[in-house]
Amino acid sequence: TYIVLNSNNSGNVYYDLQASTGNPDFNNANLGAYCEGSSSLVFKGAEHNNYKCGGCDITSTRLMYRIYPVGFPSGSFVSNSIGYSSGFTNGCGGEDQQWSNIGYNTNLLSGLSAGNYTIEVYSEQSTTCLGMVYASDGGNNFKATFTVNANVTYYLDADNDGFGTNSVSQVSCFGAPVGYVTNNGDCNDNQLQYYDADGDGFGSMTLVGCGVANNLDCNDNQIQYLDADGDGFGANIAVACGVTNN
């Protein structure tokens, strides 16, 4: 038995359930990370191959799955009918059969918030002699995991000061694009601006989104005044470095 998934539009991939082939194993697989709200992990269907002798007939098959947060098994299984596709007499009194359907296009990410999830799978078939028969990893079912990442808006930081402009943005769920940051507090993204704690028009060495264009202040916690004649007494003109009185 196989489950068929399409991840990130890369085409249909057959994952081994109760099978041993060159296909990837579904059980304990990490299916990857996907953006919240996307349709990048799609259930396409399943294939069930039966090799049987005698007159026992298979009347229907299904692939069952459920999705829940890792570590918290819950919820009902979704039943997906897998119809008969081919068969041939095998010489031992029965017929080898293939039941397959890859016509589903179910978005497995629909409605999921950011987090880590388990997809749990088993298949079942109805028979005329044994009732219901399961491919379920010895009753433990087959389990794979995947991650849903939250979408974050990032803003262009052209002057590389750590503050972005509100006018240019990108949304990503895989971290900040190069040259982008998470805040949009820059008043002028083409000019570095500095913190001016004492409001004298002269900034410290601390970058801010909105401040002054220079970082010349000798003491940004104290306003200093011009002492043109060097007598220790300042005029009422604020300067970056001067005396403390005016």
Side-chain angles (χ1 to χ4, degrees):
T1 63
Y2 309 91
I3 183 173
V4 185
L5 303 175
N6 187 330
S7 175
N8 290 316
N9 295 314
S10 60
N12 294 345
V13 176
Y14 285 68
Y15 287 88
D16 288 346
L17 295 175
Q18 190 172 324
S20 180
T21 72
N23 297 321
D25 289 330
F26 180 83
N27 206 34
N28 299 316
N30 184 340
L31 300 178
Y34 307 91
C35 293
E36 184 178 6
S38 73
S39 56
S40 299
L41 182 60
V42 177
F43 170 73
K44 296 296 295 183
E47 181 179 305
H48 301 153
N49 294 309
N50 294 274
Y51 308 98
K52 66 189 185 71
C53 296
C56 183
D57 287 327
I58 300 160
T59 57
S60 62
T61 72
R62 289 157 296 279
L63 191 287
M64 317 289 287
Y65 71 79
R66 64 176 179 172
I67 296 171
Y68 49 82
V70 168
F72 299 93
S74 62
S76 301
F77 284 87
V78 178
S79 177
N80 303 271
S81 178
I82 309 301
Y84 177 83
S85 59
S86 65
F88 59 90
T89 302
N90 58 20
C92 70
E95 183 185 54
D96 292 342
Q97 296 181 345
Q98 182 180 90
W99 298 68
S100 65
N101 184 346
I102 56 171
Y104 287 97
N105 283 288
T106 306
N107 178 14
L108 297 179
L109 306 177
S110 178
L112 297 183
S113 58
N116 297 313
Y117 291 89
T118 294
I119 174 170
E120 181 178 349
V121 172
Y122 71 90
S123 65
E124 64 180 25
Q125 58 186 19
S126 302
T127 70
T128 57
C129 57
L130 299 173
M132 195 74 72
V133 178
Y134 300 94
S136 60
D137 191 29
N140 296 316
N141 296 337
F142 305 96
K143 301 179 181 72
T145 58
F146 62 91
T147 298
V148 177
N149 291 334
N151 293 306
V152 178
T153 301
Y154 296 94
Y155 302 91
L156 178 65
D157 179 18
D159 55 11
N160 198 35
D161 60 359
F163 303 94
T165 176
N166 194 43
S167 61
V168 182
S169 63
Q170 288 189 30
V171 176
S172 173
C173 75
F174 293 106
V178 175
Y180 284 73
V181 294
T182 56
N183 75 78
N184 60 349
D186 207 325
C187 291
N188 185 343
D189 201 39
N190 296 309
Q191 179 189 71
L192 297 178
Q193 299 197 5
Y194 301 90
Y195 185 51
D196 178 15
D198 53 14
D200 60 1
F202 303 96
S204 66
M205 293 295 293
T206 302
L207 287 166
V208 291
C210 299
V212 296
N214 71 82
N215 58 354
L216 302 174
D217 208 327
C218 290
N219 186 341
D220 199 40
N221 295 308
Q222 179 188 73
I223 297 177
Q224 299 192 10
Y225 300 92
L226 177 66
D227 177 16
D229 55 11
D231 61 0
F233 300 95
N236 197 29
I237 301 172
V239 293
C241 299
V243 296
T244 59
N245 71 82
N246 60 353

